[in-house]
Amino acid sequence: MTKPLPVILRALEPEDLELLYTIENDPEVWDVTAIGAPCSRYALKQYVASQQTLGECDQLRLVVALRDSGRAIGIADLTDYDAIDRRAEIGIVLLRSERGKGYGAAALSLLEAYARDRLRLHSLLARSATEGNDAALALFRSAGYEQAGTLKDWHYSKGKYSDMALFQKIFKKG
């Protein structure tokens, strides 16, 4: 029998406002995502209250929580969902204090299983800047994602442009 993963994925709740506020206002996260600006508690509170289904807005935000305590430690996103082509883009962000503990790999595994088994997606796409995001690059490679391309000088951070690696995982039938 396999040991359960140390994290779970669950729906976003009003109690997750501080988690979202911390993550969305972390300048380190801005350097690896397209956020680029602070978010107010008010805007995030409205966002949490207006959660729509994946089919309504083509995206789904889930909370990464520790299995044992239920404490929220990050977020996992499915974005650019396409029901016809059966694909989506994924992203995972953990609180700084929870990085490097294997929680990202566990959350990725759960997100993949949900996308493959429940949503019946055929493929997932992940993007990562090639500079300053070694943990994400290693995570996707170790999880069986293939680098499907590179966008040259795509990401601007800390005064210079870097390439953006595109990773794809195709779920095989069977």
Side-chain angles (χ1 to χ4, degrees):
M1 183 173 180
T2 59
K3 183 179 177 184
L5 293 173
V7 299
I8 59 169
L9 299 179
R10 64 165 175 77
L12 196 58
E13 298 287 350
E15 297 78 27
D16 298 316
L17 180 62
E18 287 307 310
L19 169 76
L20 286 177
Y21 186 79
T22 300
I23 288 174
E24 298 288 1
N25 288 294
D26 182 350
E28 185 178 298
V29 173
W30 298 344
D31 276 346
V32 295
T33 68
I35 297 168
C39 288
S40 70
R41 280 187 178 85
Y42 177 76
L44 291 169
K45 190 174 186 177
Q46 287 187 310
Y47 169 76
V48 171
S50 69
Q51 283 295 291
Q52 297 175 316
T53 67
L54 182 60
E56 291 172 321
C57 65
D58 298 332
Q59 67 180 17
L60 175 67
R61 175 161 277 182
L62 299 169
V63 171
V64 179
L66 295 176
R67 177 177 296 283
D68 293 342
S69 67
R71 185 170 59 85
I73 61 165
I75 54 177
D77 292 322
L78 283 174
T79 59
D80 297 324
Y81 169 71
D82 187 316
I84 293 172
D85 292 327
R86 296 179 23 216
R87 66 175 183 237
E89 187 169 338
I90 62 167
I92 297 171
V93 179
L94 299 178
L95 294 170
R96 285 185 194 192
S97 61
E98 304 303 333
R99 297 177 192 162
K101 299 177 181 179
Y103 298 144
L108 179 59
S109 177
L110 291 171
L111 193 57
E112 286 177 358
Y114 179 75
R116 180 189 63 238
D117 302 338
R118 187 72 182 159
L119 300 176
R120 308 237 187 282
L121 296 187
H122 175 66
S123 68
L124 293 174
L125 173 75
R127 293 188 285 165
S128 179
T130 58
E131 291 184 32
N133 207 11
D134 295 339
L137 295 169
L139 173 64
F140 293 121
R141 288 183 178 122
S142 69
Y145 285 72
E146 293 184 26
Q147 190 164 340
T150 303
L151 300 170
K152 299 293 184 186
D153 280 354
W154 192 260
H155 183 70
Y156 187 78
S157 175
K158 297 178 183 157
K160 66 178 186 167
Y161 284 94
S162 66
D163 295 347
M164 180 71 67
L166 303 176
F167 290 95
Q168 184 180 24
K169 187 168 202 175
I170 297 175
F171 300 120
K172 307 295 182 196
K173 290 183 180 178

